[in-house]
Amino acid sequence: DPIKTGVKKATLEQIAGALGRWPEGFTPHPKLIKILKDRTQSVLEDAPIDWGTAEALALGSLLVEGTLVRLTGQDSRRGTFSHRHAAIRDVNNAELYVPLNHIRPMVEPNYGEGVTTSAEDWSNAQAPLMVYDSPLSEFSCMGFEYGFSLASPKPLVIWEAQFGDFVNGAQVIIDQYLAAAEAKWQRWSGLTLLLPHGYEGQGPEHSSARIERFLELCGGKNVNIQVVYPSTPAQYFHLLRRQVHAPFRKPLVVMTPKSLLRLPVCTSRVAEMVSGSFQEIIDDPSFSAKGSKRQVKRIILCTGKVYYDLAARREETARGDLAIVRVEMLYPLNIERLEAVLATYPKEVELVWVQEEPKNMGAWGHMFLTLHEALGWELPYIGRPVSSSPATGSPAKHLQQLDLFLSEAVAPLPAGAAKTPAGVH
C-alpha cells in the first residue's frame, strides 16, 4: 500500500514563511530576495510550486517532525543550478544563514537514535538541517555519507552529485556497499543519492547519471536499492518524505532534473502535497474523461524528463490517439499497477518504450527484460541509437537526434515548425 506522506497546509505555510525570512541586519544578495520571497508566496497564494520549493517543503516538513536531515555534495548549499539556496550569505560580511533552521526553535540531534525531545510532539520545535558543500571527491564523500547512514538510520542522509555523471567517481562505493551490503552483511542503509540527469545538449559529461548501471545492480531475493526518476515537484516531495516514513531502509537513487527545475509546465500545487503519496506509475491525465481512452492507438511508456518532450510534440502535432504513461519508479517496478493502468486502454493498442538515452543505456534494457519475464511482453524501443558515449558533444546533433526519435514516437513536426520544444532545451 502507498505510504501516506501528505503534510498539513498550515505546516507547509509555516515552512514557506521561513524560506523568505532572515534576521534583521542580514543582507542577502539582491537577486536572491525576489527568488526567496516568491517561494514563500507560491505556497501562501496557492500558485505553481517549482522543484526547488517542493524540495525545501519536503525537507522542512521532516525537520518539524523531528527528523535530522543531512545534505552534502558539490555546490549543494545553493544547488549546482542555483535552484536550492538552502544556505545564504550576507553580501557584506559573508555570514551564513540557513532558512530551514529557523522554522521553529531548534532541538539538537542525537546521532545514534535520530532526534529526540522531551516534548510530547514537535508543534514548537524542529530538528536541524545540516547542509555542506563537499570537495570534488565522490568516492570519499559518498563513502562518508554511507557510513553516516549506517550509524544513524533515522535521519534523512543525502549525497548529491554536481552532475549525475560524476557518480562515476564513487562506483566502488555503489558496487561494494550500496547495492550489496544488505545481501552480504545484512546492513540496511537509507542513503539517498540525488543525481542530476537529462539530455539538454550539454555534452557527454553533463547528460547521463547512468541509470542503466544502477538497474544492472538491482535484484536478488529482496529489493536491494530503489531507482526512481520523478517527473513533478510533488512526486519529488512525497518521495523524500517516503524515504523517512517507510518501515524499512533501502538506498534511494533519484534521477533529478536540470531543465525541469525552471520549466513552466513542471510545477505542482499545495493540494498535491497536503494529500496523496508517491505514485510509482502515472497514467496520462489527458485521458481522464470517461470513454476518452477508446480513441488511443499507441501507448508510450517513458520515465522522467522525456515525458515533457513527448507531450510537447503531441500537442504540436495534435496527435489525439497517443497516450503517455510515466514509469516513475523503475525498480522495484510495480508490475500490478502498470498492468492495471494499461488494462484501461483498448486491448489492440500498440505499446512502445521511448527514452532519450542511447539504446544500450537508459532503462529500456531493464524494462524489456522485466516485462518479458513477468508478463511475456515484447517492448519495442524508440530513442537514440547505440553509442559508446552517453551523449553527443554537438548541440546541433543533439537536436537532430531529439527530432528524429520524437518524430518516430509521436509524429514529425509540420513544415516550418521549430524543432525544439519551447522551454525544454
Side-chain angles (χ1 to χ4, degrees), residues 32 55 62 92 136 138 140 152 154 156 165 167 181 201 220 285 288 299 307 341 390 413:
L32 273 182
E55 180 187 78
L62 292 171
N92 297 317
L136 279 163
E138 291 81 8
S140 61
S152 300
K154 292 185 179 180
L156 176 63
D165 317 65
V167 78
S288 57
I299 298 175
Y307 165 77
V341 168
L413 281 172

Side-chain angles (χ1 to χ4, degrees), residues 79-142:
T80 297
F81 312 103
S82 297
H83 65 287
R84 180 171 292 127
H85 304 298
I88 57 179
R89 289 193 180 274
D90 189 305
V91 296
N92 297 317
N93 58 23
E95 179 185 351
L96 190 70
Y97 181 77
V98 180
L100 286 177
N101 279 338
H102 299 274
I103 307 167
R104 297 174 182 171
M106 186 75 68
V107 173
E108 289 301 315
N110 178 324
Y111 292 100
E113 299 296 331
V115 179
T116 58
T117 178
S118 58
E120 293 182 0
D121 57 49
W122 284 84
S123 59
N124 294 304
Q126 73 163 90
L129 168 64
M130 308 177 74
V131 55
Y132 304 106
D133 294 331
S134 67
L136 279 163
S137 178
E138 291 81 8
F139 174 84
S140 61
C141 294
M142 187 192 293

Side-chain angles (χ1 to χ4, degrees), residues 85-416:
H85 304 298
I88 57 179
R89 289 193 180 274
D90 189 305
V91 296
N92 297 317
N93 58 23
E95 179 185 351
L96 190 70
Y97 181 77
V98 180
L100 286 177
N101 279 338
H102 299 274
I103 307 167
R104 297 174 182 171
M106 186 75 68
V107 173
E108 289 301 315
N110 178 324
Y111 292 100
E113 299 296 331
V115 179
T116 58
T117 178
S118 58
E120 293 182 0
D121 57 49
W122 284 84
S123 59
N124 294 304
Q126 73 163 90
L129 168 64
M130 308 177 74
V131 55
Y132 304 106
D133 294 331
S134 67
L136 279 163
S137 178
E138 291 81 8
F139 174 84
S140 61
C141 294
M142 187 192 293
F144 183 90
E145 301 308 327
Y146 175 75
F148 194 104
S149 73
L150 294 178
S152 300
K154 292 185 179 180
L156 176 63
V157 182
I158 303 172
W159 179 83
E160 180 178 57
Q162 191 167 44
F163 280 85
D165 317 65
F166 297 178
V167 78
N168 287 337
Q171 196 66 46
V172 173
I173 300 296
I174 295 165
D175 291 349
Q176 296 293 112
Y177 299 97
L178 205 70
E182 183 175 347
K184 293 191 292 187
W185 307 308
Q186 292 77 54
R187 293 303 308 272
W188 280 13
S189 167
L191 180 64
T192 296
L193 306 185
L194 303 183
L195 309 179
H197 177 91
Y199 283 59
E200 327 285 0
Q202 295 182 353
E205 312 309 333
H206 291 328
S207 297
S208 176
R210 295 290 194 174
I211 302 177
E212 67 279 359
R213 290 184 183 172
F214 289 100
L215 293 174
E216 286 174 353
L217 294 171
C218 296
K221 185 177 180 180
N222 300 309
V223 173
N224 59 326
I225 59 175
Q226 307 164 86
V227 182
V228 184
Y229 197 173
S231 61
T232 72
Q235 281 282 89
Y236 182 49
F237 171 89
H238 288 295
L239 180 65
L240 292 178
R241 288 184 49 75
R242 188 179 79 158
Q243 184 68 351
V244 170
H245 285 273
F248 54 82
R249 289 292 177 265
K250 303 280 185 180
L252 173 64
V253 181
V254 187
M255 301 293 144
T256 55
K258 300 191 292 285
S259 63
L260 299 191
L261 297 172
R262 294 174 180 82
L263 185 65
V265 296
C266 183
T267 57
S268 301
R269 306 304 279 255
V270 169
E272 297 175 69
M273 301 173 194
V274 170
S275 61
S277 57
F278 178 75
Q279 301 178 65
E280 298 177 3
I281 307 290
I282 300 182
D283 196 2
D284 194 327
S286 301
F287 298 94
S288 57
K290 186 176 181 180
S292 61
K293 292 184 176 181
R294 287 197 292 263
Q295 63 184 323
V296 174
K297 296 180 180 178
R298 169 180 278 187
I299 298 175
I300 291 175
L301 294 182
C302 67
T303 187
K305 182 187 78 69
V306 77
Y307 165 77
Y308 293 96
D309 293 312
L310 292 164
R313 177 60 65 94
R314 179 175 62 179
E315 182 177 355
E316 290 166 332
T317 57
R319 181 81 190 268
D321 61 348
L322 179 77
I324 309 170
V325 175
R326 283 167 277 177
V327 181
E328 302 277 291
M329 173 163 271
L330 293 161
Y331 183 84
L333 178 64
N334 191 334
I335 294 176
E336 291 183 2
R337 171 60 181 160
L338 181 60
E339 276 192 295
V341 168
L342 298 185
T344 63
Y345 291 90
K347 289 184 179 180
E348 65 277 8
V349 71
E350 179 190 16
L351 183 66
V352 300
W353 176 267
V354 177
Q355 66 181 36
E356 55 187 356
E357 300 86 2
K359 188 175 184 179
N360 56 321
M361 303 177 195
W364 174 70
H366 169 80
M367 290 294 297
F368 182 92
L369 289 174
T370 301
L371 294 180
H372 182 75
E373 290 180 358
L375 304 171
W377 293 358
E378 300 289 334
L379 189 62
Y381 167 87
I382 297 176
R384 288 179 166 87
V386 169
S387 172
S388 59
S389 172
T392 177
S394 164
K397 183 68 173 178
H398 163 80
L399 292 177
Q400 182 186 51
Q401 292 174 342
L402 174 68
D403 179 61
L404 283 173
F405 80 73
L406 290 179
S407 296
E408 182 181 356
V410 183
L413 281 172

